[in-house]
Amino acid sequence: GRRFVHWARNNRKQFFILAGTSAFLVIVGIPVFTYFYFAKDLGSKESILTRNEEGVVLLDRKNKPFFTLYDAKKKEYIPLDQINKNLQNAVLASEDKDFYNHPGFSIKGIARAAVADILHAQVKQGASTLTQQLVKNVLLSSQRSFLRKYQEIVLAVEVDRRYSKDDVLE
């Protein structure tokens, strides 16, 4: 506490170099680490969708699951062209009306959520686009933190770069 404040006052140049280096590492290091840690999981739509399906599912003789262990999930994949267009439009209208116009994240949504979060002194709003929700649900935890949100944005931009909007919506 007091020692650091005293040191910072007497060594302003070193303090600003240390603060600048730390800020640079956070701003550049987190996205680079996040990208390389999750890059293998972004290789195909299938690898994204099956990322968190590890576990055990026991099926009965009618092929119906009756026991799961370690969050194993049984999903049924439905191609986008088999989903009613009205349902697609309803999802877009309620979850991400600018879906086809942003690079995976919404500056306007982040600014709105940041103001709400500052006013409430905690992370209350998510500002997540559909792409960010996909990333959060299949790659990251549901923990609410600024670090997770930062990682979510980095990965959402990469998913948006690699895949079409229809692939993400699917």
Side-chain angles (χ1 to χ4, degrees):
R2 286 185 175 185
R3 284 179 150 174
F4 179 76
V5 171
H6 179 72
W7 176 85
R9 282 186 186 147
N10 292 334
N11 300 295
R12 287 180 188 214
K13 184 177 180 181
Q14 289 91 346
F15 171 76
F16 285 115
I17 290 171
L18 178 65
T21 303
S22 299
F24 176 79
L25 288 174
V26 167
I27 292 169
V28 173
I30 290 172
V32 169
F33 172 78
T34 299
Y35 174 82
F36 284 110
Y37 184 80
F38 290 104
K40 67 184 180 319
D41 298 319
L42 300 176
S44 69
K45 287 193 309 185
E46 292 74 27
S47 66
I48 292 173
L49 292 174
T50 60
R51 169 71 160 61
N52 286 327
E53 289 185 357
E54 296 92 20
V56 175
V57 176
L58 299 179
L59 306 174
D60 64 17
R61 36 179 187 222
K62 294 180 183 177
N63 211 25
K64 301 281 186 206
F66 71 90
F67 179 78
T68 61
L69 183 66
Y70 300 119
D71 286 334
K73 297 174 180 105
K74 185 174 166 100
K75 298 177 193 170
E76 186 176 336
Y77 172 76
I78 301 170
L80 190 60
D81 62 3
Q82 292 182 16
I83 298 173
N84 182 293
K85 195 68 172 164
N86 289 331
L87 179 58
Q88 293 177 38
N89 290 335
V91 168
L92 291 173
S94 66
E95 293 292 328
D96 190 355
K97 65 182 166 84
D98 296 323
F99 178 68
Y100 286 100
N101 299 317
H102 60 61
F105 68 97
S106 167
I107 295 286
K108 203 167 34 172
I110 291 170
R112 176 188 37 76
V115 168
D117 293 347
I118 290 168
L119 291 175
H120 293 96
Q122 62 180 335
V123 180
K124 293 282 255 183
Q125 294 200 9
S128 292
T129 64
L130 285 174
T131 312
Q132 287 176 265
Q133 290 177 42
L134 170 70
V135 166
K136 178 187 75 172
N137 290 329
V138 300
L139 297 172
L140 301 173
S141 71
S142 58
Q143 168 195 1
R144 289 182 159 212
S145 71
F146 292 109
L147 173 61
R148 205 251 18 247
K149 183 58 75 176
Y150 192 35
Q151 291 176 315
E152 189 179 292
I153 291 169
V154 169
L155 293 170
V157 168
E158 184 61 17
V159 166
D160 195 72
R161 187 185 72 76
R162 290 184 185 207
Y163 298 100
S164 71
K165 291 292 188 176
D166 286 344
D167 285 338
V168 172
L169 183 59
E170 188 172 62

Short mmCIF file of all heavy atoms in Angstrom, two decimals, residues 22 25 49 54 60 82-83 85 87 95-96 110 123 128 138 165:
data_model
loop_
_atom_site.label_atom_id
_atom_site.label_comp_id
_atom_site.label_asym_id
_atom_site.label_seq_id
_atom_site.Cartn_x
_atom_site.Cartn_y
_atom_site.Cartn_z
N SER A 22 2.12 -3.06 -18.44
CA SER A 22 1.02 -3.89 -17.93
C SER A 22 -0.22 -3.73 -18.79
O SER A 22 -0.87 -4.72 -19.15
CB SER A 22 0.70 -3.54 -16.49
OG SER A 22 1.81 -3.77 -15.67
N LEU A 25 0.27 -5.51 -22.10
CA LEU A 25 0.14 -6.97 -21.96
C LEU A 25 -1.31 -7.40 -21.85
O LEU A 25 -1.72 -8.41 -22.41
CB LEU A 25 0.95 -7.46 -20.76
CG LEU A 25 2.47 -7.43 -20.95
CD1 LEU A 25 3.16 -7.80 -19.65
CD2 LEU A 25 2.90 -8.34 -22.07
N LEU A 49 -19.69 -26.82 -32.42
CA LEU A 49 -20.94 -27.31 -31.82
C LEU A 49 -20.73 -28.46 -30.85
O LEU A 49 -21.53 -28.67 -29.95
CB LEU A 49 -21.91 -27.73 -32.93
CG LEU A 49 -22.44 -26.58 -33.77
CD1 LEU A 49 -23.29 -27.10 -34.93
CD2 LEU A 49 -23.25 -25.61 -32.93
N GLU A 54 -18.35 -33.47 -23.93
CA GLU A 54 -17.70 -34.59 -23.27
C GLU A 54 -18.58 -35.12 -22.16
O GLU A 54 -19.29 -34.39 -21.51
CB GLU A 54 -16.34 -34.18 -22.68
CG GLU A 54 -15.33 -33.74 -23.69
CD GLU A 54 -15.35 -32.24 -23.93
OE1 GLU A 54 -15.86 -31.52 -23.07
OE2 GLU A 54 -14.86 -31.82 -24.97
N ASP A 60 -31.25 -46.34 -23.36
CA ASP A 60 -32.02 -47.56 -23.15
C ASP A 60 -32.16 -48.30 -24.48
O ASP A 60 -31.62 -47.87 -25.50
CB ASP A 60 -33.37 -47.27 -22.50
CG ASP A 60 -34.30 -46.43 -23.37
OD1 ASP A 60 -34.06 -46.32 -24.59
OD2 ASP A 60 -35.27 -45.87 -22.83
N GLN A 82 -34.18 -25.76 -42.79
CA GLN A 82 -35.33 -26.50 -42.27
C GLN A 82 -36.01 -25.77 -41.11
O GLN A 82 -36.95 -26.28 -40.52
CB GLN A 82 -34.90 -27.89 -41.83
CG GLN A 82 -34.49 -28.78 -42.98
CD GLN A 82 -34.12 -30.17 -42.51
OE1 GLN A 82 -34.42 -30.58 -41.40
NE2 GLN A 82 -33.44 -30.90 -43.38
N ILE A 83 -35.51 -24.59 -40.77
CA ILE A 83 -36.10 -23.80 -39.69
C ILE A 83 -36.95 -22.70 -40.33
O ILE A 83 -36.47 -21.97 -41.20
CB ILE A 83 -35.02 -23.20 -38.78
CG1 ILE A 83 -34.22 -24.32 -38.12
CG2 ILE A 83 -35.65 -22.29 -37.72
CD1 ILE A 83 -33.03 -23.85 -37.32
N LYS A 85 -38.67 -19.53 -41.56
CA LYS A 85 -38.12 -18.18 -41.71
C LYS A 85 -38.69 -17.22 -40.66
O LYS A 85 -37.99 -16.34 -40.17
CB LYS A 85 -38.40 -17.67 -43.13
CG LYS A 85 -37.60 -16.47 -43.50
CD LYS A 85 -36.14 -16.80 -43.62
CE LYS A 85 -35.37 -15.63 -44.18
NZ LYS A 85 -33.95 -15.74 -43.98
N LEU A 87 -39.53 -17.99 -37.60
CA LEU A 87 -38.81 -18.27 -36.35
C LEU A 87 -37.42 -17.64 -36.39
O LEU A 87 -36.98 -17.04 -35.41
CB LEU A 87 -38.72 -19.78 -36.11
CG LEU A 87 -37.96 -20.21 -34.86
CD1 LEU A 87 -38.59 -19.61 -33.60
CD2 LEU A 87 -37.92 -21.72 -34.76
N GLU A 95 -33.16 -11.10 -30.20
CA GLU A 95 -31.82 -11.30 -29.65
C GLU A 95 -30.75 -10.39 -30.25
O GLU A 95 -29.80 -10.03 -29.58
CB GLU A 95 -31.38 -12.76 -29.85
CG GLU A 95 -32.18 -13.75 -29.03
CD GLU A 95 -31.92 -13.62 -27.54
OE1 GLU A 95 -30.81 -13.26 -27.14
OE2 GLU A 95 -32.86 -13.89 -26.78
N ASP A 96 -30.87 -10.06 -31.55
CA ASP A 96 -29.76 -9.35 -32.20
C ASP A 96 -30.24 -8.75 -33.52
O ASP A 96 -29.95 -9.26 -34.60
CB ASP A 96 -28.61 -10.34 -32.44
CG ASP A 96 -27.33 -9.67 -32.89
OD1 ASP A 96 -27.33 -8.44 -33.11
OD2 ASP A 96 -26.32 -10.39 -33.02
N ILE A 110 -22.40 -2.78 -26.33
CA ILE A 110 -21.37 -2.75 -25.27
C ILE A 110 -21.43 -1.44 -24.51
O ILE A 110 -21.35 -1.42 -23.27
CB ILE A 110 -19.97 -3.00 -25.88
CG1 ILE A 110 -19.87 -4.44 -26.38
CG2 ILE A 110 -18.88 -2.69 -24.87
CD1 ILE A 110 -18.64 -4.73 -27.20
N VAL A 123 -21.64 -6.33 -13.08
CA VAL A 123 -21.97 -6.74 -14.44
C VAL A 123 -23.42 -7.21 -14.44
O VAL A 123 -23.74 -8.28 -13.96
CB VAL A 123 -21.02 -7.86 -14.94
CG1 VAL A 123 -21.39 -8.27 -16.35
CG2 VAL A 123 -19.58 -7.39 -14.88
N SER A 128 -24.60 -9.05 -25.47
CA SER A 128 -24.11 -10.11 -26.34
C SER A 128 -24.91 -10.19 -27.64
O SER A 128 -26.13 -10.21 -27.63
CB SER A 128 -24.20 -11.47 -25.64
OG SER A 128 -23.30 -11.52 -24.59
N VAL A 138 -20.57 -22.31 -26.18
CA VAL A 138 -19.84 -23.51 -26.60
C VAL A 138 -18.35 -23.48 -26.28
O VAL A 138 -17.72 -24.53 -26.25
CB VAL A 138 -20.05 -23.82 -28.11
CG1 VAL A 138 -21.50 -24.06 -28.42
CG2 VAL A 138 -19.47 -22.75 -28.99
N LYS A 165 -22.74 -15.41 -41.79
CA LYS A 165 -23.77 -15.08 -40.80
C LYS A 165 -24.78 -16.23 -40.70
O LYS A 165 -25.24 -16.57 -39.61
CB LYS A 165 -24.47 -13.78 -41.14
CG LYS A 165 -23.59 -12.56 -40.98
CD LYS A 165 -23.26 -12.29 -39.53
CE LYS A 165 -22.56 -10.96 -39.38
NZ LYS A 165 -22.30 -10.63 -37.98
#
